[in-house]
Amino acid sequence: MTGTVDMRVRIGELELRNPVMTASGTFGSGREYADFMELAQLGAVVTKGVSLEPWAGNDSPRIAETPSGMLNSIGLQNPGVAAFCANDLAWLATQNVPVIVNLVGHSVAEYVAVTERLDAEPDIAAFELNISCPNVDAGGMAFGTSCPAAAEVVRAVRAATTKTLIVKLSPNVTDIAEIARAVEAEGADAVSLINTLLGMAIDTRTFRPKLARGVGGLSGPAIRPVAVRMVWQVARAVAVPVIGMGGIMSAADAAEFMLAGATAVAVGTANFVDPTASAAVAEGLRHFCEERGIARVSDLTGAAWPERQA
């Protein structure tokens, strides 16, 4: 309970002090942001993707600004699970904030192996299974764009852990609700959406793509209407909680996702604009509720649905 508003929300077995977390890949493991804010102000920190072995990522350039957003093709660069546990996880354990580890892999076997390596770590509250990254040639989005492939990897990882399992979905599909139902059926405790939309930018001076890989993931305010629409669709299609993300820059943006059906939200690109953005959204969401006499932030979830308007 914070102030006059109950800000708590529940994702699987995990109770968060407020519904605002960080979007994987935009916050590292939080160490760089700790000079600007207390991580304990957040509902949870979602780490950058962690793989079994070190992952070099894509060639540079791999960032390009676009109108109302940015393109990235980082390619899941990370030092591997051993270095993550020795350095980042050990530090995060001192920050009084739930830690959700984003899992990545090239294959089902790699996803399972990294899950098994991390499952015994008591300082990890939950896993976010990333089957939606558009910036790798093997793994990532390859698993998240068909129901059989998504179901296979979720089934295997579910068998490897009893921790809360969140599955991050790709918007680069025909029917995201169908994918959500498939992973829910295999034991996902929650789904998070959306990852970035596949996009491209070309430098008109050089006649060459701005990213070395050619294409990349579009994030930021430009994708928010797409993300809100997909949260609306998925939250009405599944029984498990939905974590909404995609261009959240303010508390009002976060409230919009919750009104569409999200139980919690994640702040991503805004962290690059303002390193305190995630904490500001959490505090702003509390004020949003106070100003409207809303006693529990969870009452926002799905409040825009037609049946709730009757």
Side-chain angles (χ1 to χ4, degrees), residues 32-236:
E32 295 84 355
Y33 290 85
D35 290 339
F36 302 96
M37 57 178 279
E38 292 186 11
L39 303 193
Q41 295 174 267
L42 302 175
V45 167
V46 182
T47 71
K48 181 167 175 54
V50 177
S51 56
L52 186 62
E53 302 293 339
W55 206 321
N58 295 328
D59 292 337
S60 297
R62 48 190 192 179
I63 294 287
E65 290 192 33
T66 69
S68 299
M70 61 179 282
L71 284 165
N72 92 84
S73 69
I74 303 301
L76 301 177
Q77 177 185 353
N78 78 96
V81 66
F84 169 77
C85 289
N87 301 315
D88 296 321
L89 183 58
W91 179 83
L92 276 167
T94 69
Q95 299 303 304
N96 188 29
V97 65
V99 177
I100 300 174
V101 176
N102 184 279
L103 305 173
V104 298
H106 293 93
S107 64
V108 173
E110 279 194 34
Y111 276 109
V112 171
V114 71
T115 303
E116 290 175 339
R117 170 63 183 81
L118 290 168
D119 189 52
E121 296 288 346
D123 297 317
I124 296 174
F127 293 122
E128 181 181 60
L129 183 64
N130 186 352
I131 58 171
S132 51
C133 177
N135 294 319
V136 292
D137 295 324
M141 197 172 75
F143 287 103
T145 53
S146 82
C147 288
E152 180 187 9
V153 67
V154 172
R155 187 184 314 126
V157 171
R158 177 73 285 173
T161 182
T162 58
K163 293 184 188 289
T164 293
L165 180 61
I166 304 161
V167 180
K168 189 166 187 175
L169 304 181
S170 170
N172 301 295
V173 295
T174 302
D175 184 353
I176 193 171
E178 181 182 46
I179 304 290
R181 284 191 291 265
V183 303
E184 178 186 38
E186 297 297 340
D189 296 303
V191 291
S192 57
L193 57 137
I194 59 174
N195 207 318
T196 54
L197 281 158
L198 197 60
M200 186 177 194
I202 296 174
D203 190 327
T204 53
R205 296 169 302 170
T206 64
F207 288 23
R208 298 183 64 81
K210 289 186 177 181
L211 301 177
R213 190 168 180 263
V215 299
L218 178 64
S219 63
I223 73 168
R224 191 165 60 243
V226 177
V228 171
R229 183 264 292 179
M230 289 187 164
V231 166
W232 175 280
Q233 290 179 315
V234 169
R236 296 166 69 79

